[in-house]
Amino acid sequence: MPSIQTFIESLHQQYRDLDAGQLASYIPELAKVDPHYFAISVVTTDGQVFQVGDVGQPFTIQSISKVFVYGMALEDWGRDRLLEKVGVEPTGDPFNSLIRLDEDSHRPDNPMINAGAIATTGLIKGDNPTERLNRLLAMFRRYVGKEVYVDISTFLSERATGHRNRAMAHLMLNFGMIGDNLEEVLDLYFQQCALFVTCQDLATMAAALANQGRHPLTGEQVVKPEYVRDILSVMYTCGMYNFAGEWAYRVGIPAKSGVSGGILAVVPNQAGIAVFSPPLDQNGNSVRGLKVFEALSQEYGFHLFDLSMGHCRLKDSLSS
Ligand code: GLN
């Protein structure tokens, strides 16, 4: 079995010329990105780092932020109170759909789609918008293990064009799922989506979740351990949008993707893994990212139902 470093280098080589997928363009700033960026990072729960490609290239976290803000909302409100406002049911619809919200559920189905994420952001505690933003930034800083920044251009770009998200927020206000400070909530949501991260940062953040909420390098407890299971559950069932079922079948670990081309995934008790490659498929998931994760899962047997049967080979590969 190849060492993880050798294997990710070979995957990078194999897929770097794969010319498929489109850049997200509904947020104008995202359409300006170089589609050739390609990075793979693995951070183990004991702090080893394996990576290849453009691992230090900053990009905006987009929907991957939803995972961490959901964790914070769980800490702020607890499981039951939060469930009253945001469900945990996968939709099978695109991430920005508002059909079920309007015609059926009225409560957003889960926190990994836009409606649920906006409602979740609206629940973050704090006396005013600055305090709420500062709490979110402090939380992201704990996960990343260093200072974090919001990309103002992307924030403004999305604020100027995010009419679907605005429509969702209005629908949720109509159904009593969010308060009437709707523009403030949307600003905070657009700011969290515009957080700058690197591929290595994402793998580190995932490794903290793989490690019961303890940061693999700083040792800090970044989220209460009792909520890690909840976060991973919604990632597993809802994190890859309308590809979530197929992802669970093919790759089999909790994951979250974003329209800037990142995918972050958690191998419990082993490692956090991230891929960054901007071109997306029709579901909004990174094309190269899907290929890399499928190959990694097969090679090292870290599908959850391989893990639970003791078939995972990832730890062995770290020492070889
Ligand atoms: N900021 C983006 C939006 O709200 C995030 C979507 C995504 O990454 N899938 O549309």
Side-chain angles (χ1 to χ4, degrees):
M1 180 177 44
S3 77
I4 186 84
Q5 183 64 41
T6 309
F7 193 61
I8 59 176
E9 282 171 17
S10 71
L11 291 176
H12 191 270
Q13 170 122 18
Q14 183 177 353
Y15 292 119
R16 92 179 145 203
D17 296 324
L18 176 66
D19 189 22
Q22 303 287 327
L23 292 178
S25 58
Y26 74 99
I27 300 174
E29 276 306 291
L30 295 184
K32 298 181 185 164
V33 169
D34 183 345
H36 298 103
Y37 287 141
F38 186 22
I40 308 172
S41 298
V42 178
V43 176
T44 64
T45 48
D46 58 4
Q48 299 180 69
V49 180
F50 304 91
Q51 42 189 358
V52 58
D54 305 302
V55 291
Q57 173 61 41
F59 57 97
T60 56
I61 188 168
Q62 297 301 335
S63 272
I64 298 172
S65 64
K66 294 168 180 172
V67 167
F68 304 97
V69 178
Y70 185 62
M72 192 166 194
L74 278 165
E75 291 186 324
D76 278 1
W77 293 95
R79 226 170 252 149
D80 294 337
R81 297 282 302 280
L82 187 54
L83 267 177
E84 290 168 14
K85 299 285 181 194
V86 184
V88 289
E89 208 58 60
T91 63
D93 293 331
F95 65 84
N96 56 4
S97 172
L98 26 79
I99 294 171
R100 281 174 52 80
L101 183 64
D102 186 25
E103 292 184 353
D104 186 17
S105 61
H106 299 182
R107 177 187 65 158
D109 289 288
N110 71 68
M112 301 289 111
I113 52 169
N114 285 12
I118 293 167
T120 304
T121 298
L123 290 168
I124 293 304
K125 289 187 175 171
D127 287 340
N128 53 56
T130 312
E131 197 178 307
R132 287 189 279 276
L133 173 64
N134 284 339
R135 285 193 70 225
L136 278 193
L137 291 176
M139 178 269 292
F140 281 117
R141 204 178 293 130
R142 283 196 296 278
Y143 272 101
V144 175
K146 58 182 166 62
E147 194 49 85
V148 292
Y149 302 93
V150 171
D151 177 25
I152 301 297
S153 309
T154 306
F155 162 58
L156 292 176
S157 177
E158 187 165 11
R159 182 159 71 164
T161 56
H163 306 304
R164 273 191 89 83
N165 285 332
R166 207 160 268 121
M168 268 171 225
H170 278 280
L171 263 181
M172 289 192 288
L173 174 59
N174 179 58
F175 296 131
M177 289 296 158
I178 62 173
D180 59 9
N181 58 338
L182 188 147
E183 286 300 329
E184 261 171 36
V185 172
L186 285 165
D187 272 357
L188 189 56
Y189 171 74
F190 295 145
Q191 283 159 345
Q192 78 181 53
C193 289
L195 189 89
F196 259 142
V197 286
T198 65
C199 191
Q200 179 173 359
D201 293 339
L202 287 184
T204 307
M205 295 163 89
L209 291 175
N211 198 28
Q212 280 299 304
R214 190 175 287 282
H215 193 284
L217 301 167
T218 67
E220 193 179 351
Q221 189 68 42
V222 295
V223 59
K224 287 192 177 140
E226 64 260 40
Y227 293 126
V228 171
R229 193 194 72 182
D230 301 329
I231 299 169
L232 296 182
S233 301
V234 291
M235 288 170 73
Y236 193 65
T237 52
C238 313
M240 302 299 284
Y241 314 120
N242 36 342
F243 190 71
E246 202 156 331
W247 172 276
Y249 186 82
R250 289 172 186 272
V251 183
I253 45 172
K256 183 76 199 82
S257 69
V259 282
S260 49
I263 301 180
L264 155 159
V266 176
V267 190
N269 276 323
Q270 314 261 334
I273 305 180
V275 177
F276 169 50
S277 167
L280 308 176
D281 67 10
Q282 69 285 0
N283 298 318
N285 294 321
S286 167
V287 174
R288 291 195 195 107
L290 295 182
K291 295 276 186 212
V292 167
F293 274 106
E294 205 173 325
L296 280 170
S297 180
Q298 265 187 15
E299 183 68 25
Y300 296 113
F302 58 55
H303 190 295
L304 288 190
F305 302 129
D306 284 333
L307 271 179
S308 60
M309 293 181 201
H311 295 158
C312 182
R313 297 177 291 276
L314 188 58
K315 277 260 157 84
D316 304 341
S317 79
L318 302 176
S319 47
S320 55

